[in-house]
Amino acid sequence: MSRPAHRKPEYHKINKDLFVLTYGALVAQLCKDYEKDEDVNKYLDKMGYGIGTRLVEDFLARSCVRRCHSYSEITDIIAQVAFKMYLGITPSVTCNNSSRTEFSLILDKNPLVEFVEELPAGRSSLCYCNLLCGIIRGALEMVHLAADVTFLQDRLKGDRVTEIGITFLRKLDEKKYRRKK
Amino acid sequence: MTVHNLYLFDRNGVCLHYSEWHRKKQAGIPKEEEYKLMYGMLFSIRSFVSKMSPLDMYAESEEMPRKDGFLAFQTSRYKLHYYETPTGIKVVMNTDLGVGPIRDVLHHIYSALYVELVVKNPLCPLGQTVQSELFRSRLDSYVRSLPFFSARAG
């Protein structure tokens, strides 16, 4: 009796420019829909959150990472495995506080902004890649970790590097399913 | 050798999917009660197993990359296999006693079926029973193609 081959599902790759330009079109449309930068940032984060809650399942299915025992391990995995898998880049990780709950991902290459020279006039506080923050936040929440994820520095705003800050908050409890009486 | 049935739960205890192939005896309670009972039992066993473990749970050894507790239990008639992801998705399969460890099978059900067909489908809402007919039929063909599945319950 032959064992059926457990073929890995084929992961379709798409053209990078198509992806980058689609993201740009998304941000441009949000800018048309909302006047205030805070609103655009908020909706990018919200969309990212929805993506992250599902993306994490794909990530776990494909990467078979071991269970992590510390926040720094988790941040390393986000930078070295997840970013590599989905964006093809590997940001470097730094720890920002002694209790090891605040970390930064330093991106020196960011494919999403490849065609963006500078932020449009009147949009100086737009976080162009805020989708990424929402994705990380949504993904972490699905593995029972609450975190604040924001851009600390942004090359598009004139900073030297692009830096995403992840602050781990308390661990979310697994709620036992309660019987409805 | 055969597969009796399969449950799929999410992190809140919602039964996402249930299929049976060879089940001669029903539990005698409504299906909703049965799912709650199964989930509650699994939740309790998981915490029991880690609490009562005489060894440190998180060994750093490379041979068992995912040493995370409860794997299976067996009775004199059947064996229950368990697989859980860090996001709380639980795959539970009851087989007969001749079947060895099938973590890779349960992982395949998670990764190639649940993730590919349900999670990645934006029209499939999460957190409720999977309505996708494609998922149901692919899962059925996959289980029927397993080497330890025989059409005749043995």
Side-chain angles (χ1 to χ4, degrees), chain A residues 49-92:
Chain A
Y49 178 84
I51 293 174
T53 55
R54 293 194 182 226
L55 197 70
V56 68
E57 306 273 12
D58 179 64
F59 174 68
L60 292 172
R62 283 160 66 176
S63 65
C64 303
V65 288
R66 296 165 59 164
R67 223 165 257 269
C68 296
H69 309 321
S70 68
Y71 293 137
S72 71
E73 258 187 79
I74 292 168
T75 315
D76 285 336
I77 284 184
I78 294 175
Q80 291 157 15
V81 188
F83 265 83
K84 183 98 180 88
M85 192 186 275
Y86 293 110
L87 290 178
I89 56 172
T90 314
S92 49

Coordinates of all heavy atoms in Angstrom, one line a residue, chain A residues 49-92:
Chain A
Y49 N -4.9 44.8 10.9 CA -5.4 43.9 12.0 C -6.2 42.7 11.4 O -5.9 41.6 11.8 CB -6.2 44.7 13.0 CG -6.7 43.8 14.1 CD1 -5.9 43.6 15.2 CD2 -8.0 43.3 14.1 CE1 -6.4 42.8 16.3 CE2 -8.5 42.5 15.1 CZ -7.7 42.2 16.2 OH -8.1 41.5 17.2
G50 N -7.1 43.0 10.5 CA -7.9 42.0 9.9 C -7.0 41.0 9.1 O -7.2 39.8 9.1
I51 N -6.0 41.5 8.4 CA -5.1 40.7 7.6 C -4.3 39.8 8.6 O -4.1 38.6 8.4 CB -4.2 41.6 6.8 CG1 -5.0 42.3 5.7 CG2 -3.1 40.7 6.2 CD1 -4.1 43.2 4.9
G52 N -3.8 40.5 9.7 CA -2.9 39.8 10.6 C -3.6 38.6 11.3 O -2.9 37.5 11.5
T53 N -4.9 38.7 11.6 CA -5.5 37.6 12.3 C -5.6 36.4 11.4 O -5.7 35.3 11.9 CB -6.9 38.0 12.8 OG1 -7.7 38.5 11.6 CG2 -6.9 39.1 13.8
R54 N -5.6 36.6 10.1 CA -5.6 35.4 9.2 C -4.2 35.0 8.8 O -3.9 33.8 8.7 CB -6.5 35.7 8.0 CG -8.0 35.8 8.4 CD -8.8 35.8 7.1 NE -10.2 36.0 7.5 CZ -11.2 35.2 7.0 NH1 -11.0 34.2 6.2 NH2 -12.5 35.5 7.4
L55 N -3.4 36.0 8.6 CA -2.0 35.7 8.1 C -1.3 34.9 9.1 O -0.4 34.0 8.7 CB -1.3 37.0 7.8 CG -0.1 36.9 7.0 CD1 -0.4 36.6 5.6 CD2 0.8 38.2 7.1
V56 N -1.6 35.0 10.3 CA -0.8 34.3 11.3 C -1.0 32.8 11.2 O -0.1 32.0 11.4 CB -1.2 34.7 12.8 CG1 -2.6 34.4 13.1 CG2 -0.2 34.2 13.8
E57 N -2.2 32.4 10.7 CA -2.5 30.9 10.5 C -1.7 30.4 9.4 O -1.1 29.3 9.5 CB -4.0 30.7 10.2 CG -5.0 31.3 11.2 CD -5.3 30.4 12.4 OE1 -4.6 29.3 12.6 OE2 -6.2 30.7 13.1
D58 N -1.6 31.2 8.3 CA -0.7 30.8 7.2 C 0.7 30.7 7.6 O 1.4 29.8 7.3 CB -0.9 31.8 6.0 CG -0.1 31.5 4.8 OD1 -0.3 30.4 4.2 OD2 0.9 32.2 4.5
F59 N 1.1 31.7 8.4 CA 2.5 31.7 8.9 C 2.8 30.4 9.7 O 3.8 29.8 9.5 CB 2.8 33.0 9.7 CG 4.1 33.0 10.4 CD1 5.3 33.1 9.6 CD2 4.3 32.9 11.7 CE1 6.5 33.1 10.2 CE2 5.5 32.9 12.3 CZ 6.6 33.0 11.5
L60 N 1.9 30.1 10.6 CA 2.1 28.9 11.5 C 2.1 27.6 10.7 O 2.9 26.7 10.9 CB 1.1 28.9 12.6 CG 1.2 29.9 13.6 CD1 0.0 29.9 14.6 CD2 2.5 29.8 14.4
A61 N 1.2 27.6 9.7 CA 1.1 26.4 8.8 C 2.4 26.2 8.0 O 2.8 25.1 7.8 CB -0.1 26.5 7.9
R62 N 3.0 27.3 7.6 CA 4.2 27.1 6.7 C 5.5 27.1 7.4 O 6.5 26.6 6.9 CB 4.2 28.3 5.7 CG 3.2 28.1 4.6 CD 2.9 29.4 3.9 NE 4.1 29.9 3.2 CZ 4.1 31.0 2.5 NH1 3.0 31.7 2.4 NH2 5.1 31.4 1.9
S63 N 5.6 27.8 8.6 CA 6.9 27.9 9.2 C 7.2 26.9 10.3 O 8.4 26.7 10.6 CB 7.1 29.3 9.7 OG 6.2 29.4 10.8
C64 N 6.2 26.2 10.9 CA 6.5 25.3 11.9 C 7.5 25.7 13.0 O 8.4 25.1 13.3 CB 7.0 23.9 11.3 SG 5.9 23.3 10.1
V65 N 7.3 27.0 13.4 CA 8.2 27.5 14.5 C 7.9 26.8 15.8 O 6.7 26.4 16.0 CB 8.0 29.0 14.6 CG1 8.7 29.7 13.4 CG2 6.6 29.4 14.8
R66 N 8.9 26.7 16.6 CA 8.7 26.1 17.9 C 8.0 27.2 18.8 O 8.1 28.4 18.5 CB 10.1 25.8 18.5 CG 10.7 24.7 17.7 CD 12.2 24.6 18.1 NE 12.4 24.3 19.5 CZ 13.5 23.9 20.0 NH1 14.5 23.8 19.2 NH2 13.6 23.7 21.3
R67 N 7.4 26.7 19.9 CA 6.8 27.6 20.9 C 7.9 28.5 21.5 O 8.9 28.0 21.8 CB 6.2 26.7 21.9 CG 4.8 27.2 22.3 CD 4.1 26.2 23.1 NE 3.1 25.6 22.3 CZ 1.8 26.0 22.2 NH1 1.4 27.0 22.8 NH2 0.9 25.3 21.4
C68 N 7.6 29.8 21.6 CA 8.6 30.7 22.1 C 8.4 30.9 23.6 O 7.3 30.8 24.1 CB 8.3 32.1 21.4 SG 8.6 32.0 19.7
H69 N 9.5 31.2 24.2 CA 9.5 31.3 25.6 C 9.8 32.7 26.1 O 9.8 33.0 27.3 CB 10.5 30.4 26.3 CG 10.4 29.0 25.8 ND1 9.2 28.4 25.6 CD2 11.3 28.1 25.5 CE1 9.4 27.2 25.2 NE2 10.6 27.0 25.1
S70 N 10.0 33.7 25.2 CA 10.3 35.0 25.6 C 9.9 36.0 24.5 O 9.7 35.6 23.3 CB 11.8 35.2 25.9 OG 12.5 35.1 24.7
Y71 N 9.6 37.2 24.9 CA 9.2 38.2 23.9 C 10.3 38.5 22.9 O 10.1 38.8 21.8 CB 8.9 39.6 24.6 CG 7.7 39.5 25.5 CD1 7.6 40.1 26.8 CD2 6.5 38.9 25.0 CE1 6.5 40.1 27.5 CE2 5.4 38.8 25.8 CZ 5.4 39.4 27.1 OH 4.2 39.4 27.9
S72 N 11.6 38.4 23.3 CA 12.7 38.6 22.4 C 12.7 37.5 21.3 O 13.0 37.8 20.2 CB 14.0 38.8 23.1 OG 14.5 37.6 23.6
E73 N 12.4 36.3 21.7 CA 12.3 35.2 20.7 C 11.3 35.5 19.7 O 11.4 35.2 18.5 CB 12.0 33.9 21.4 CG 13.1 32.9 21.7 CD 12.7 31.6 22.2 OE1 12.2 30.8 21.4 OE2 12.8 31.4 23.4
I74 N 10.1 35.9 20.2 CA 9.0 36.2 19.3 C 9.4 37.3 18.3 O 9.1 37.2 17.1 CB 7.8 36.6 20.2 CG1 7.3 35.4 21.0 CG2 6.6 37.1 19.3 CD1 6.3 35.8 22.0
T75 N 10.0 38.4 18.8 CA 10.4 39.5 18.0 C 11.4 39.0 16.9 O 11.3 39.4 15.7 CB 10.9 40.6 18.8 OG1 10.1 40.9 19.9 CG2 11.0 41.9 17.9
D76 N 12.3 38.1 17.3 CA 13.3 37.6 16.4 C 12.6 36.8 15.3 O 12.9 36.9 14.1 CB 14.3 36.7 17.1 CG 15.3 37.4 17.9 OD1 15.5 38.6 17.6 OD2 15.8 36.9 18.9
I77 N 11.6 36.0 15.7 CA 10.9 35.2 14.7 C 10.1 36.1 13.7 O 10.1 35.9 12.5 CB 10.0 34.2 15.4 CG1 10.8 33.1 15.9 CG2 8.9 33.6 14.4 CD1 10.1 32.0 16.5
I78 N 9.5 37.2 14.3 CA 8.8 38.1 13.4 C 9.7 38.7 12.4 O 9.5 38.7 11.2 CB 8.1 39.3 14.2 CG1 7.0 38.7 15.1 CG2 7.6 40.3 13.3 CD1 6.4 39.8 16.0
A79 N 10.9 39.1 12.8 CA 11.9 39.7 11.9 C 12.5 38.8 11.0 O 12.6 39.0 9.8 CB 13.0 40.4 12.8
Q80 N 13.0 37.6 11.5 CA 13.8 36.7 10.7 C 13.0 35.7 9.9 O 13.4 35.3 8.8 CB 14.8 36.0 11.5 CG 15.8 36.9 12.1 CD 16.5 36.3 13.3 OE1 16.4 35.2 13.6 NE2 17.2 37.2 14.1
V81 N 11.8 35.4 10.3 CA 11.0 34.4 9.6 C 9.9 35.0 8.9 O 9.7 34.9 7.7 CB 10.5 33.2 10.6 CG1 9.9 32.1 9.8 CG2 11.7 32.7 11.4
A82 N 9.0 35.7 9.6 CA 7.8 36.3 9.0 C 8.1 37.3 8.0 O 7.6 37.3 6.9 CB 6.9 36.8 10.1
F83 N 8.9 38.3 8.3 CA 9.2 39.4 7.4 C 9.9 38.8 6.1 O 9.6 39.2 5.0 CB 10.1 40.5 8.0 CG 9.3 41.6 8.5 CD1 8.7 41.6 9.8 CD2 9.1 42.8 7.8 CE1 8.0 42.7 10.3 CE2 8.4 43.9 8.3 CZ 7.8 43.8 9.5
K84 N 10.7 37.8 6.4 CA 11.5 37.2 5.3 C 10.5 36.4 4.4 O 10.5 36.5 3.1 CB 12.5 36.2 5.8 CG 13.3 35.5 4.8 CD 14.7 36.3 4.7 CE 15.5 35.6 3.6 NZ 15.4 36.1 2.3
M85 N 9.5 35.8 5.0 CA 8.6 34.9 4.2 C 7.6 35.8 3.4 O 7.3 35.5 2.3 CB 7.8 34.1 5.2 CG 6.9 33.0 4.6 SD 5.9 32.2 5.9 CE 7.0 31.1 6.5
Y86 N 7.2 36.9 4.0 CA 6.2 37.7 3.3 C 6.7 38.9 2.5 O 6.1 39.3 1.5 CB 5.1 38.1 4.3 CG 4.3 36.9 4.8 CD1 4.4 36.5 6.1 CD2 3.5 36.2 3.9 CE1 3.7 35.4 6.6 CE2 2.8 35.1 4.4 CZ 2.9 34.7 5.7 OH 2.2 33.6 6.1
L87 N 7.8 39.5 3.0 CA 8.3 40.7 2.3 C 9.7 40.5 1.7 O 10.2 41.4 1.0 CB 8.2 41.9 3.2 CG 6.9 42.5 3.6 CD1 7.0 43.6 4.5 CD2 6.1 42.9 2.3
G88 N 10.3 39.4 2.1 CA 11.6 39.2 1.5 C 12.7 40.0 2.2 O 13.8 40.1 1.6
I89 N 12.4 40.6 3.3 CA 13.5 41.4 4.0 C 13.6 40.9 5.4 O 12.8 40.2 5.9 CB 13.1 42.9 4.1 CG1 11.7 43.1 4.7 CG2 13.1 43.6 2.7 CD1 11.4 44.6 5.0
T90 N 14.8 41.2 6.0 CA 15.0 40.8 7.4 C 15.4 42.0 8.2 O 16.6 42.4 8.3 CB 16.2 39.8 7.5 OG1 16.0 38.8 6.5 CG2 16.2 39.1 8.8
P91 N 14.4 42.6 8.9 CA 14.8 43.8 9.7 C 15.6 43.3 10.9 O 15.6 42.2 11.3 CB 13.4 44.3 10.2 CG 12.4 43.4 9.8 CD 13.0 42.4 8.9
S92 N 16.4 44.3 11.4 CA 17.2 43.9 12.6 C 16.4 44.3 13.9 O 15.5 45.1 13.8 CB 18.6 44.6 12.6 OG 18.4 46.0 12.4

